[in-house]
Amino acid sequence: MMYLKKPLWSETGNGDESAKMEEDYGAVSEVVTSLQQQRVYREVTLALRTGLRDASAEFSFLRVRALRSILKFLRSVAESDSTIQLFCQTQSISQLQVVPVLFQHSLRESGDDYGETRVGDLSHVLGVEPKRLTSPSTDDEVALALRVLEGCCLLHPHSTALAHQHNAIQVLMNILSTRGVLEQGACLDALISLMVDSSFNQMDFEKCNGIMEVADLLRDKQVDENLRLKCGEFLLLLIGHVNGRDTPPLATIHEDTRRLLGEKSASLIWAASQFGSTLDPQQRLTALQIQARRVLESLDLY
């Protein structure tokens, strides 16, 4: 069996020499740490440049592949505080910002796709440059883009401000009311991440009558049960975040919930919204799911 030798400065000997060697080792260690940080930063920027390039492609299958790659990248970033900090640094560089690319491509309004070319408009034919046609976003693409948006906002709080510049709440509310269950579930999670500590996005949510939209889905027994549970979780998280607030935005959220869901269900949501603040993340998630189920059951009794 092999053993590593002890470093020379650990041996007993002349005090001055030992101190000098420790000082030299400290300097070398700082250089190594700096080089390591630079290497990780280069890897982060390379991953972002590659992912964002394909996330801007004309074809949906290329954008889907890029979004999967970016989502995997964000999950790896979240594993340590140092890589989160590096990611936040990259988001101050416009060419590396993820959120704008999402809204310019995968989360574009449907009218901005093929339908934007009017009948009789031949400028793209007669012009020098050929018109770039972008394939519309598929269900999987929209859902992935929403997951990436959620991750960006959770890792980099300023991403909520970037999203606000692209009318994020309005775009997501349109998705919630027109898309399928897959996108709607991802949309609810993204909405929460957008509104945490963002008064601008909260005001936009209020202007869009967001509470009413979510409550309508929650009450509708024809809606997929898992989506209804997700709506319950959304209200629990949102009301827990703004609990006790008596100033705009969302100052009337308790009254709105009572009016839309009834006194019993609203009271249950208010009481349960402060679930398990001392629990670990997995226990909090379990508690959230249990409380959402109770909210749903309270509605279905009437």
Side-chain angles (χ1 to χ4, degrees):
M1 182 178 293
M2 297 178 62
Y3 295 92
L4 293 176
K5 294 182 179 179
K6 292 183 179 180
L8 296 175
W9 57 84
S10 67
E11 302 290 342
T12 56
N14 186 284
D16 293 339
E17 291 181 2
S18 297
K20 184 178 184 307
M21 296 183 75
E22 287 183 6
E23 182 179 345
D24 291 342
Y25 175 76
V28 171
S29 179
E30 289 180 5
V31 172
V32 171
T33 300
S34 177
L35 291 173
Q36 172 72 1
Q37 290 176 341
Q38 292 177 28
R39 180 186 64 80
V40 175
Y41 183 80
R42 286 195 298 271
E43 291 179 355
V44 168
T45 55
L46 178 60
L48 282 173
R49 288 185 189 278
T50 303
L52 292 177
R53 180 195 63 205
D54 289 344
S56 306
E58 293 96 331
F59 301 107
S60 181
F61 77 91
L62 289 176
R63 298 196 299 270
V64 166
R65 186 177 66 183
L67 290 170
R68 287 198 180 108
S69 177
I70 294 173
L71 187 58
K72 183 178 179 181
F73 162 77
L74 291 176
R75 286 169 176 161
S76 66
V77 164
E79 292 177 358
S80 73
D81 292 338
S82 60
T83 50
I84 292 175
Q85 185 178 4
L86 286 177
F87 174 71
C88 291
Q89 291 175 13
T90 64
Q91 295 309 286
S92 64
I93 303 171
S94 59
Q95 296 88 343
L96 298 177
Q97 289 174 344
V98 178
V99 168
V101 173
L102 298 178
F103 286 97
Q104 290 163 5
H105 298 278
S106 297
L107 299 178
R108 290 179 70 184
E109 299 288 352
S110 58
D112 295 333
D113 294 315
Y114 286 117
E116 67 181 357
T117 302
R118 295 184 297 275
V119 175
D121 182 5
L122 301 179
S123 59
H124 64 289
V125 176
L126 303 177
V128 176
E129 293 292 333
K131 183 172 179 62
R132 176 178 174 177
L133 294 177
T134 301
S135 62
S137 301
T138 62
D139 294 348
D140 285 343
E141 181 182 346
V142 172
L144 280 168
L146 291 168
R147 293 300 180 193
V148 171
L149 175 63
E150 177 190 5
C152 287
C153 292
L154 293 176
L155 293 174
H156 177 239
H158 185 63
S159 285
T160 60
L162 291 174
H164 173 71
Q165 296 173 12
H166 293 271
N167 299 316
I169 297 297
Q170 179 65 60
V171 172
L172 266 63
M173 292 309 300
N174 288 340
I175 291 173
L176 189 63
S177 61
T178 60
R179 287 279 185 168
V181 173
L182 179 66
E183 304 96 294
Q184 289 172 314
C187 188
L188 289 167
D189 290 334
L191 279 169
I192 283 292
S193 67
L194 280 170
M195 287 191 286
V196 171
D197 299 326
S198 174
S199 58
F200 291 109
N201 287 327
Q202 290 173 15
M203 285 189 287
D204 288 347
F205 183 74
E206 195 169 43
K207 290 176 184 176
C208 292
N209 295 316
I211 290 293
M212 184 175 68
E213 294 283 347
V214 176
D216 285 346
L217 288 173
L218 182 60
R219 289 194 311 245
D220 190 350
K221 295 182 181 181
Q222 302 301 315
V223 171
D224 179 84
E225 182 176 327
N226 289 327
L227 180 60
R228 294 180 70 201
L229 287 170
K230 181 68 73 172
C231 289
E233 293 174 10
F234 173 88
L235 290 177
L236 287 165
L237 289 170
L238 183 62
I239 292 176
H241 179 67
V242 302
N243 192 42
R245 180 179 297 169
D246 55 4
T247 57
L250 300 180
T252 63
I253 188 170
H254 298 305
E255 296 175 11
D256 294 339
T257 307
R258 185 189 300 112
R259 174 173 52 84
L260 294 167
L261 299 179
E263 182 66 39
K264 183 173 182 180
S265 296
S267 298
L268 178 59
I269 291 175
W270 299 337
S273 61
Q274 298 301 309
F275 57 90
S277 58
T278 60
L279 302 176
D280 63 47
Q282 185 57 47
Q283 290 175 323
R284 284 200 299 270
L285 177 60
T286 302
L288 175 64
Q289 293 169 342
I290 292 173
Q291 298 294 357
R293 171 67 65 180
R294 290 175 178 170
V295 170
L296 195 60
E297 291 172 351
S298 72
L299 285 171
D300 289 347
L301 288 176
Y302 298 94

